[in-house]
Amino acid sequence: MITQILKLTSYAAVLIFIIGIAYRWWKWSSMPIHLRWELYPVPHEPGRAKYGGGYLEEELWWTKNRNTSVIGELKELLGEMLFIKRIYGNNKRLWALTYPFHLGIYLILVWFLLVLLGAVTTLYAHAPAPSSSTWSIFLYYATIVVGVTGALLATAGGFGLLIRRLINPILRDYTTIPDYFNLIMVLLALVTGLASWFNDPYFNYARAFALSIINPLVSPPHLNPVILVHIIALQALVAYIPFSKITHFIGKYFTYHRVLWEDEPGSSELSSRVGELMALKMPWNAPHIKLGESWEENARVIANEG
């Protein structure tokens, strides 16, 4: 009965995750235009990104067609996501903790895919253990290696980050209660996952439960209390992610593509968007700012006084 309920709540958790992420994406994509400035290097400038150049350095650039590279942006984004290069360049001690944490999470995501593929393979092979096919044997052992490695790396890195935030005075000042809560939520899923592995070393129960989710007609397996607690913790984390800072994994697109690298030349459409923002009334005042007047009016007064 409990596993049947957990099967239904698995659908609910995934649905909440999808809707929440879609809402986040819509909300961020519909935000006002950011402060426009030139921040170089811009990776979509082929040939010029390596030395920090851009199209503005060309003579009569406004008369020429722009040549941009999506590949350049993708390479930079993937490099940052997979290797966290900026933290490595600025704080190698922090990188030594955050990199295994993120790498472990990436491996766990791969593990989820392997479990799902293993469940589908099991559906057609009608056997929980590896069959004679090379594909089944690969899935069976790759699931074990990837899953255990990812869980160990993420758990070690997560506890390291938690301890560092607690003992480092600089990080402690910048860490909020939600930051601690986010990390604890992830660690709870990781620790219970490792405990579940001791009860299911070959992930047979994981594949069986995944199979029951893929095929609603298949009943979920009987699970021991440790695995049940892990599933509950994992479902809570999946449903919680869209409403937390953990969504920075999609926020990076907007941070980089829409802010750091957005260098489109001015246009009538862009001028219209900027004009709409400049017409907004100021909700605060100061010696140099008048309450109730627009940004444009205040800017004009400041310019005249200067």
Side-chain angles (χ1 to χ4, degrees):
M1 179 63 180
I2 296 178
T3 53
Q4 288 286 359
I5 294 175
L6 287 180
K7 178 179 177 178
L8 295 176
T9 54
S10 295
Y11 294 127
V14 172
L15 183 61
I16 292 173
F17 177 84
I18 294 173
I19 294 175
I21 292 297
Y23 171 75
R24 280 274 189 169
W25 186 277
W26 170 80
K27 183 178 180 180
W28 286 338
S29 63
S30 59
M31 290 181 70
I33 187 172
H34 67 89
L35 174 64
R36 288 178 58 81
W37 48 13
E38 286 73 35
L39 296 173
Y40 292 98
V42 180
H44 61 233
E45 288 281 358
R48 291 190 286 259
K50 62 180 65 176
Y51 64 86
Y55 69 92
L56 294 175
E57 68 189 12
E58 293 186 18
E59 186 179 6
L60 301 177
W61 59 264
W62 58 90
T63 65
K64 303 175 183 178
N65 293 326
R66 291 192 62 200
N67 180 25
T68 59
S69 170
V70 177
I71 301 298
E73 286 197 8
L74 290 177
K75 286 173 59 178
E76 185 68 20
L77 270 175
L78 289 175
E80 176 62 24
M81 292 178 64
L82 295 178
F83 303 107
I84 317 182
K85 298 191 303 181
R86 280 175 171 76
I87 294 181
Y88 179 80
N90 293 287
N91 192 332
K92 290 182 175 58
R93 289 185 177 181
L94 182 61
W95 180 87
L97 296 173
T98 193
Y99 182 64
F101 177 66
H102 284 83
L103 178 60
I105 291 176
Y106 297 153
L107 290 176
I108 290 172
L109 294 176
V110 175
W111 175 83
F112 275 115
L113 177 61
L114 292 172
V115 167
L116 291 174
L117 291 174
V120 173
T121 302
T122 299
L123 178 64
Y124 291 100
H126 304 290
S131 68
S132 58
S133 71
T134 303
W135 172 247
S136 297
I137 295 174
F138 167 77
L139 283 178
Y140 189 80
Y141 291 106
T143 302
I144 298 173
V145 173
V146 172
V148 176
T149 303
L152 291 174
L153 283 173
T155 303
F159 274 112
L161 288 172
L162 179 60
I163 294 171
R164 183 170 174 80
R165 286 181 179 273
L166 290 170
I167 66 175
N168 186 290
I170 296 177
L171 284 178
R172 189 170 59 241
D173 289 342
Y174 284 94
T175 303
T176 64
I177 292 178
D179 293 329
Y180 286 118
F181 184 77
N182 294 343
L183 198 49
I184 290 172
M185 284 284 288
V186 175
L187 284 172
L188 182 61
L190 290 170
V191 171
T192 56
L194 281 173
S196 299
W197 172 58
F198 287 105
N199 291 270
D200 184 23
Y202 303 109
F203 298 118
N204 291 327
Y205 286 115
R207 276 186 290 271
F209 189 75
L211 178 60
S212 70
I213 294 176
I214 295 173
N215 188 348
L217 299 179
V218 176
S219 298
H222 178 74
L223 304 174
N224 64 42
V226 175
I227 299 178
L228 291 176
V229 171
H230 170 60
I231 293 176
I232 293 172
L234 185 59
Q235 290 179 358
L237 176 62
V238 169
Y240 170 72
I241 284 175
F243 311 100
S244 69
K245 288 183 179 179
I246 303 176
T247 49
H248 67 268
F249 66 90
I250 61 171
K252 280 185 179 294
Y253 167 80
F254 296 96
T255 302
Y256 287 82
H257 183 72
R258 290 286 189 89
V259 179
L260 288 176
W261 303 336
E262 203 286 297
D263 64 343
E264 289 294 321
S267 64
S268 58
E269 188 271 338
L270 184 59
S271 298
S272 176
R273 292 174 62 190
V274 173
E276 291 175 1
L277 296 178
M278 292 294 290
L280 294 177
K281 303 298 182 181
M282 300 290 287
W284 52 276
N285 63 351
H288 62 294
I289 294 294
K290 292 185 179 180
L291 177 68
E293 292 191 358
S294 68
W295 285 87
E296 184 177 6
E297 291 167 339
N298 277 287
R300 186 181 300 112
V301 171
I302 293 174
N304 292 335
E305 292 179 351

Short mmCIF file of all heavy atoms in Angstrom, two decimals, residues 51-96:
data_model
loop_
_atom_site.label_atom_id
_atom_site.label_comp_id
_atom_site.label_asym_id
_atom_site.label_seq_id
_atom_site.Cartn_x
_atom_site.Cartn_y
_atom_site.Cartn_z
N TYR A 51 40.87 37.37 -27.24
CA TYR A 51 41.60 38.52 -26.71
C TYR A 51 40.67 39.59 -26.16
O TYR A 51 41.10 40.69 -25.79
CB TYR A 51 42.53 39.13 -27.77
CG TYR A 51 41.83 39.70 -28.98
CD1 TYR A 51 41.36 41.02 -28.99
CD2 TYR A 51 41.66 38.94 -30.13
CE1 TYR A 51 40.73 41.54 -30.09
CE2 TYR A 51 41.03 39.46 -31.24
CZ TYR A 51 40.58 40.77 -31.22
OH TYR A 51 39.95 41.29 -32.33
N GLY A 52 39.36 39.27 -26.08
CA GLY A 52 38.41 40.20 -25.48
C GLY A 52 37.88 41.26 -26.41
O GLY A 52 37.39 42.30 -25.96
N GLY A 53 37.96 41.01 -27.73
CA GLY A 53 37.47 41.98 -28.69
C GLY A 53 36.00 41.80 -29.00
O GLY A 53 35.35 40.85 -28.55
N GLY A 54 35.47 42.71 -29.81
CA GLY A 54 34.08 42.64 -30.20
C GLY A 54 33.84 43.38 -31.49
O GLY A 54 34.74 44.04 -32.04
N TYR A 55 32.61 43.32 -31.98
CA TYR A 55 32.31 43.92 -33.28
C TYR A 55 32.42 45.44 -33.26
O TYR A 55 32.60 46.07 -34.30
CB TYR A 55 30.91 43.49 -33.74
CG TYR A 55 29.77 44.08 -32.94
CD1 TYR A 55 29.15 45.27 -33.32
CD2 TYR A 55 29.29 43.44 -31.80
CE1 TYR A 55 28.11 45.81 -32.60
CE2 TYR A 55 28.25 43.95 -31.07
CZ TYR A 55 27.66 45.15 -31.46
OH TYR A 55 26.63 45.67 -30.74
N LEU A 56 32.35 46.05 -32.08
CA LEU A 56 32.42 47.51 -32.00
C LEU A 56 33.80 48.05 -32.37
O LEU A 56 33.93 49.25 -32.66
CB LEU A 56 32.06 47.97 -30.58
CG LEU A 56 30.62 47.70 -30.13
CD1 LEU A 56 30.44 48.10 -28.68
CD2 LEU A 56 29.63 48.45 -31.01
N GLU A 57 34.81 47.19 -32.38
CA GLU A 57 36.14 47.66 -32.73
C GLU A 57 36.33 47.81 -34.24
O GLU A 57 37.32 48.38 -34.68
CB GLU A 57 37.20 46.70 -32.18
CG GLU A 57 37.22 45.34 -32.85
CD GLU A 57 38.13 44.34 -32.15
OE1 GLU A 57 38.57 44.63 -31.02
OE2 GLU A 57 38.38 43.28 -32.72
N GLU A 58 35.39 47.30 -35.01
CA GLU A 58 35.51 47.40 -36.46
C GLU A 58 35.10 48.79 -36.95
O GLU A 58 34.16 49.40 -36.44
CB GLU A 58 34.62 46.34 -37.14
CG GLU A 58 35.07 44.92 -36.91
CD GLU A 58 34.24 43.94 -37.73
OE1 GLU A 58 33.59 44.39 -38.69
OE2 GLU A 58 34.25 42.76 -37.40
N GLU A 59 35.75 49.25 -37.96
CA GLU A 59 35.39 50.53 -38.55
C GLU A 59 34.07 50.40 -39.30
O GLU A 59 33.86 49.43 -40.03
CB GLU A 59 36.50 50.98 -39.51
CG GLU A 59 36.28 52.38 -40.07
CD GLU A 59 37.41 52.81 -40.97
OE1 GLU A 59 38.30 51.98 -41.25
OE2 GLU A 59 37.40 53.97 -41.41
N LEU A 60 33.18 51.35 -39.08
CA LEU A 60 31.85 51.35 -39.70
C LEU A 60 31.13 50.02 -39.42
O LEU A 60 30.51 49.44 -40.30
CB LEU A 60 31.97 51.58 -41.21
CG LEU A 60 32.65 52.88 -41.66
CD1 LEU A 60 32.76 52.92 -43.17
CD2 LEU A 60 31.87 54.08 -41.15
N TRP A 61 31.18 49.58 -38.16
CA TRP A 61 30.59 48.28 -37.81
C TRP A 61 29.10 48.22 -38.10
O TRP A 61 28.56 47.16 -38.38
CB TRP A 61 30.87 47.96 -36.34
CG TRP A 61 30.31 48.97 -35.38
CD1 TRP A 61 30.97 50.02 -34.82
CD2 TRP A 61 28.97 49.04 -34.87
NE1 TRP A 61 30.14 50.75 -34.00
CE2 TRP A 61 28.90 50.15 -34.00
CE3 TRP A 61 27.82 48.27 -35.05
CZ2 TRP A 61 27.73 50.52 -33.34
CZ3 TRP A 61 26.66 48.62 -34.38
CH2 TRP A 61 26.62 49.73 -33.54
N TRP A 62 28.42 49.37 -38.02
CA TRP A 62 26.97 49.37 -38.20
C TRP A 62 26.55 49.13 -39.65
O TRP A 62 25.38 48.89 -39.92
CB TRP A 62 26.39 50.71 -37.72
CG TRP A 62 26.97 51.90 -38.40
CD1 TRP A 62 26.53 52.51 -39.54
CD2 TRP A 62 28.13 52.63 -38.00
NE1 TRP A 62 27.32 53.56 -39.88
CE2 TRP A 62 28.31 53.67 -38.95
CE3 TRP A 62 29.02 52.52 -36.93
CZ2 TRP A 62 29.36 54.58 -38.85
CZ3 TRP A 62 30.05 53.44 -36.84
CH2 TRP A 62 30.22 54.45 -37.79
N THR A 63 27.51 49.18 -40.56
CA THR A 63 27.19 48.92 -41.97
C THR A 63 27.45 47.47 -42.37
O THR A 63 27.20 47.10 -43.51
CB THR A 63 28.02 49.84 -42.88
OG1 THR A 63 29.41 49.50 -42.74
CG2 THR A 63 27.81 51.30 -42.53
N LYS A 64 27.96 46.66 -41.44
CA LYS A 64 28.35 45.29 -41.74
C LYS A 64 27.45 44.29 -41.04
O LYS A 64 26.87 44.59 -40.00
CB LYS A 64 29.81 45.06 -41.32
CG LYS A 64 30.79 46.03 -41.96
CD LYS A 64 32.19 45.84 -41.40
CE LYS A 64 33.16 46.86 -41.99
NZ LYS A 64 34.52 46.71 -41.42
N ASN A 65 27.32 43.12 -41.64
CA ASN A 65 26.56 42.04 -41.02
C ASN A 65 27.36 41.42 -39.87
O ASN A 65 28.57 41.20 -40.00
CB ASN A 65 26.22 40.95 -42.05
CG ASN A 65 25.27 41.44 -43.10
OD1 ASN A 65 24.38 42.25 -42.83
ND2 ASN A 65 25.45 40.96 -44.33
N ARG A 66 26.68 41.13 -38.77
CA ARG A 66 27.35 40.53 -37.62
C ARG A 66 27.55 39.04 -37.85
O ARG A 66 26.69 38.35 -38.39
CB ARG A 66 26.55 40.74 -36.35
CG ARG A 66 26.50 42.19 -35.89
CD ARG A 66 25.95 42.28 -34.49
NE ARG A 66 26.82 41.57 -33.55
CZ ARG A 66 26.43 41.15 -32.36
NH1 ARG A 66 25.19 41.33 -31.98
NH2 ARG A 66 27.28 40.53 -31.58
N ASN A 67 28.70 38.56 -37.40
CA ASN A 67 29.01 37.13 -37.48
C ASN A 67 29.16 36.61 -36.06
O ASN A 67 30.15 36.91 -35.37
CB ASN A 67 30.30 36.93 -38.27
CG ASN A 67 30.67 35.45 -38.38
OD1 ASN A 67 29.80 34.59 -38.28
ND2 ASN A 67 31.95 35.17 -38.56
N THR A 68 28.16 35.85 -35.60
CA THR A 68 28.19 35.32 -34.23
C THR A 68 28.25 33.81 -34.25
O THR A 68 27.88 33.16 -35.23
CB THR A 68 26.95 35.78 -33.44
OG1 THR A 68 25.77 35.31 -34.11
CG2 THR A 68 26.90 37.29 -33.34
N SER A 69 28.70 33.22 -33.13
CA SER A 69 28.89 31.78 -33.03
C SER A 69 28.13 31.23 -31.82
O SER A 69 28.47 31.52 -30.67
CB SER A 69 30.38 31.45 -32.90
OG SER A 69 30.57 30.09 -32.56
N VAL A 70 27.09 30.45 -32.10
CA VAL A 70 26.37 29.76 -31.02
C VAL A 70 27.26 28.71 -30.38
O VAL A 70 27.21 28.47 -29.17
CB VAL A 70 25.08 29.12 -31.56
CG1 VAL A 70 24.36 28.33 -30.46
CG2 VAL A 70 24.15 30.17 -32.14
N ILE A 71 28.12 28.10 -31.19
CA ILE A 71 29.04 27.07 -30.68
C ILE A 71 29.94 27.66 -29.60
O ILE A 71 30.22 27.01 -28.59
CB ILE A 71 29.89 26.48 -31.82
CG1 ILE A 71 28.99 25.86 -32.90
CG2 ILE A 71 30.87 25.45 -31.28
CD1 ILE A 71 28.15 24.72 -32.40
N GLY A 72 30.39 28.89 -29.80
CA GLY A 72 31.26 29.52 -28.81
C GLY A 72 30.58 29.67 -27.47
O GLY A 72 31.17 29.42 -26.42
N GLU A 73 29.30 30.08 -27.49
CA GLU A 73 28.55 30.23 -26.24
C GLU A 73 28.33 28.87 -25.58
O GLU A 73 28.45 28.74 -24.36
CB GLU A 73 27.21 30.92 -26.51
CG GLU A 73 27.33 32.39 -26.79
CD GLU A 73 25.99 33.09 -26.64
OE1 GLU A 73 25.03 32.44 -26.17
OE2 GLU A 73 25.90 34.28 -26.97
N LEU A 74 27.97 27.87 -26.37
CA LEU A 74 27.73 26.54 -25.81
C LEU A 74 29.00 25.97 -25.17
O LEU A 74 28.94 25.36 -24.09
CB LEU A 74 27.22 25.59 -26.91
CG LEU A 74 25.81 25.86 -27.42
CD1 LEU A 74 25.46 24.90 -28.55
CD2 LEU A 74 24.78 25.71 -26.28
N LYS A 75 30.13 26.17 -25.81
CA LYS A 75 31.40 25.68 -25.26
C LYS A 75 31.70 26.35 -23.92
O LYS A 75 32.12 25.69 -22.97
CB LYS A 75 32.54 25.94 -26.25
CG LYS A 75 32.54 25.01 -27.45
CD LYS A 75 33.58 25.43 -28.47
CE LYS A 75 34.97 25.43 -27.90
NZ LYS A 75 35.98 25.81 -28.92
N GLU A 76 31.46 27.65 -23.85
CA GLU A 76 31.72 28.37 -22.60
C GLU A 76 30.76 27.93 -21.50
O GLU A 76 31.16 27.73 -20.35
CB GLU A 76 31.60 29.87 -22.85
CG GLU A 76 31.96 30.73 -21.67
CD GLU A 76 33.44 30.68 -21.31
OE1 GLU A 76 34.24 30.29 -22.17
OE2 GLU A 76 33.76 31.03 -20.15
N LEU A 77 29.47 27.79 -21.86
CA LEU A 77 28.48 27.36 -20.87
C LEU A 77 28.77 25.96 -20.35
O LEU A 77 28.72 25.70 -19.15
CB LEU A 77 27.07 27.42 -21.49
CG LEU A 77 26.30 28.72 -21.34
CD1 LEU A 77 24.98 28.63 -22.11
CD2 LEU A 77 26.03 29.04 -19.88
N LEU A 78 29.05 25.04 -21.27
CA LEU A 78 29.35 23.67 -20.87
C LEU A 78 30.63 23.60 -20.03
O LEU A 78 30.71 22.84 -19.07
CB LEU A 78 29.46 22.77 -22.10
CG LEU A 78 28.15 22.47 -22.83
CD1 LEU A 78 28.41 21.67 -24.10
CD2 LEU A 78 27.19 21.70 -21.92
N GLY A 79 31.61 24.41 -20.41
CA GLY A 79 32.84 24.43 -19.64
C GLY A 79 32.62 24.90 -18.22
O GLY A 79 33.19 24.37 -17.27
N GLU A 80 31.74 25.90 -18.07
CA GLU A 80 31.43 26.40 -16.74
C GLU A 80 30.60 25.40 -15.95
O GLU A 80 30.83 25.19 -14.75
CB GLU A 80 30.68 27.73 -16.86
CG GLU A 80 30.21 28.31 -15.54
CD GLU A 80 31.35 28.63 -14.59
OE1 GLU A 80 32.49 28.84 -15.06
OE2 GLU A 80 31.09 28.67 -13.38
N MET A 81 29.63 24.77 -16.60
CA MET A 81 28.77 23.82 -15.90
C MET A 81 29.51 22.54 -15.52
O MET A 81 29.34 22.02 -14.42
CB MET A 81 27.55 23.49 -16.77
CG MET A 81 26.59 24.64 -16.96
SD MET A 81 25.20 24.21 -18.03
CE MET A 81 24.41 22.94 -17.05
N LEU A 82 30.34 22.04 -16.43
CA LEU A 82 31.00 20.76 -16.19
C LEU A 82 32.24 20.89 -15.31
O LEU A 82 32.57 19.96 -14.56
CB LEU A 82 31.37 20.11 -17.52
CG LEU A 82 30.21 19.69 -18.42
CD1 LEU A 82 30.73 19.10 -19.72
CD2 LEU A 82 29.31 18.68 -17.72
N PHE A 83 32.92 22.03 -15.39
CA PHE A 83 34.18 22.15 -14.66
C PHE A 83 34.20 23.32 -13.67
O PHE A 83 35.16 23.47 -12.93
CB PHE A 83 35.34 22.32 -15.65
CG PHE A 83 35.44 21.19 -16.64
CD1 PHE A 83 35.07 21.37 -17.97
CD2 PHE A 83 35.86 19.93 -16.25
CE1 PHE A 83 35.15 20.34 -18.89
CE2 PHE A 83 35.94 18.88 -17.16
CZ PHE A 83 35.58 19.08 -18.48
N ILE A 84 33.13 24.15 -13.68
CA ILE A 84 33.02 25.28 -12.75
C ILE A 84 34.31 26.10 -12.77
O ILE A 84 34.99 26.29 -11.76
CB ILE A 84 32.68 24.79 -11.32
CG1 ILE A 84 31.61 23.69 -11.38
CG2 ILE A 84 32.19 25.93 -10.46
CD1 ILE A 84 31.17 23.18 -10.04
N LYS A 85 34.63 26.60 -13.94
CA LYS A 85 35.92 27.26 -14.17
C LYS A 85 36.09 28.55 -13.36
O LYS A 85 37.19 28.85 -12.91
CB LYS A 85 36.09 27.57 -15.66
CG LYS A 85 36.11 26.36 -16.56
CD LYS A 85 36.54 26.72 -17.97
CE LYS A 85 35.64 27.77 -18.56
NZ LYS A 85 36.04 28.11 -19.95
N ARG A 86 35.02 29.31 -13.20
CA ARG A 86 35.16 30.59 -12.53
C ARG A 86 35.53 30.43 -11.06
O ARG A 86 36.32 31.20 -10.51
CB ARG A 86 33.89 31.41 -12.70
CG ARG A 86 33.81 32.09 -14.06
CD ARG A 86 32.49 32.79 -14.27
NE ARG A 86 32.51 33.60 -15.49
CZ ARG A 86 32.42 33.12 -16.71
NH1 ARG A 86 32.27 31.82 -16.90
NH2 ARG A 86 32.46 33.93 -17.75
N ILE A 87 34.93 29.46 -10.40
CA ILE A 87 35.31 29.22 -9.01
C ILE A 87 36.74 28.72 -8.93
O ILE A 87 37.51 29.09 -8.03
CB ILE A 87 34.34 28.21 -8.34
CG1 ILE A 87 32.94 28.81 -8.24
CG2 ILE A 87 34.83 27.82 -6.95
CD1 ILE A 87 31.94 27.91 -7.57
N TYR A 88 37.13 27.89 -9.88
CA TYR A 88 38.50 27.39 -9.90
C TYR A 88 39.50 28.54 -10.04
O TYR A 88 40.55 28.55 -9.39
CB TYR A 88 38.69 26.40 -11.06
CG TYR A 88 40.10 25.85 -11.16
CD1 TYR A 88 40.51 24.81 -10.33
CD2 TYR A 88 41.01 26.39 -12.07
CE1 TYR A 88 41.81 24.32 -10.41
CE2 TYR A 88 42.31 25.90 -12.16
CZ TYR A 88 42.70 24.86 -11.33
OH TYR A 88 43.98 24.37 -11.40
N GLY A 89 39.17 29.50 -10.88
CA GLY A 89 40.07 30.62 -11.08
C GLY A 89 40.12 31.60 -9.93
O GLY A 89 41.12 32.29 -9.75
N ASN A 90 39.06 31.67 -9.13
CA ASN A 90 38.98 32.66 -8.06
C ASN A 90 39.16 32.10 -6.66
O ASN A 90 39.59 32.82 -5.75
CB ASN A 90 37.63 33.39 -8.13
CG ASN A 90 37.49 34.25 -9.37
OD1 ASN A 90 38.11 35.29 -9.49
ND2 ASN A 90 36.70 33.80 -10.31
N ASN A 91 38.80 30.82 -6.48
CA ASN A 91 38.88 30.24 -5.12
C ASN A 91 39.06 28.73 -5.24
O ASN A 91 38.09 27.97 -5.21
CB ASN A 91 37.61 30.58 -4.33
CG ASN A 91 37.76 30.28 -2.86
OD1 ASN A 91 38.51 29.39 -2.46
ND2 ASN A 91 37.02 31.01 -2.04
N LYS A 92 40.29 28.31 -5.36
CA LYS A 92 40.57 26.89 -5.59
C LYS A 92 40.19 26.03 -4.39
O LYS A 92 39.83 24.85 -4.55
CB LYS A 92 42.03 26.68 -5.96
CG LYS A 92 42.40 27.22 -7.34
CD LYS A 92 43.85 26.95 -7.67
CE LYS A 92 44.16 27.38 -9.12
NZ LYS A 92 43.88 28.80 -9.36
N ARG A 93 40.28 26.56 -3.18
CA ARG A 93 39.88 25.79 -2.00
C ARG A 93 38.39 25.49 -2.03
O ARG A 93 37.96 24.37 -1.71
CB ARG A 93 40.24 26.54 -0.73
CG ARG A 93 41.74 26.61 -0.45
CD ARG A 93 42.01 27.28 0.88
NE ARG A 93 43.44 27.29 1.20
CZ ARG A 93 43.95 27.80 2.32
NH1 ARG A 93 43.13 28.33 3.23
NH2 ARG A 93 45.25 27.78 2.52
N LEU A 94 37.60 26.48 -2.39
CA LEU A 94 36.16 26.25 -2.50
C LEU A 94 35.85 25.31 -3.65
O LEU A 94 34.96 24.46 -3.56
CB LEU A 94 35.44 27.59 -2.69
CG LEU A 94 33.91 27.53 -2.77
CD1 LEU A 94 33.33 26.95 -1.48
CD2 LEU A 94 33.34 28.92 -3.02
N TRP A 95 36.59 25.46 -4.75
CA TRP A 95 36.39 24.59 -5.92
C TRP A 95 36.64 23.13 -5.56
O TRP A 95 35.96 22.23 -6.08
CB TRP A 95 37.32 25.02 -7.04
CG TRP A 95 37.21 24.20 -8.29
CD1 TRP A 95 36.34 24.40 -9.33
CD2 TRP A 95 37.98 23.05 -8.64
NE1 TRP A 95 36.52 23.46 -10.30
CE2 TRP A 95 37.52 22.60 -9.91
CE3 TRP A 95 39.00 22.34 -8.02
CZ2 TRP A 95 38.06 21.49 -10.55
CZ3 TRP A 95 39.53 21.24 -8.65
CH2 TRP A 95 39.07 20.82 -9.91
N ALA A 96 37.62 22.86 -4.69
CA ALA A 96 37.94 21.48 -4.30
C ALA A 96 36.76 20.80 -3.61
O ALA A 96 36.70 19.57 -3.55
CB ALA A 96 39.16 21.47 -3.38
#
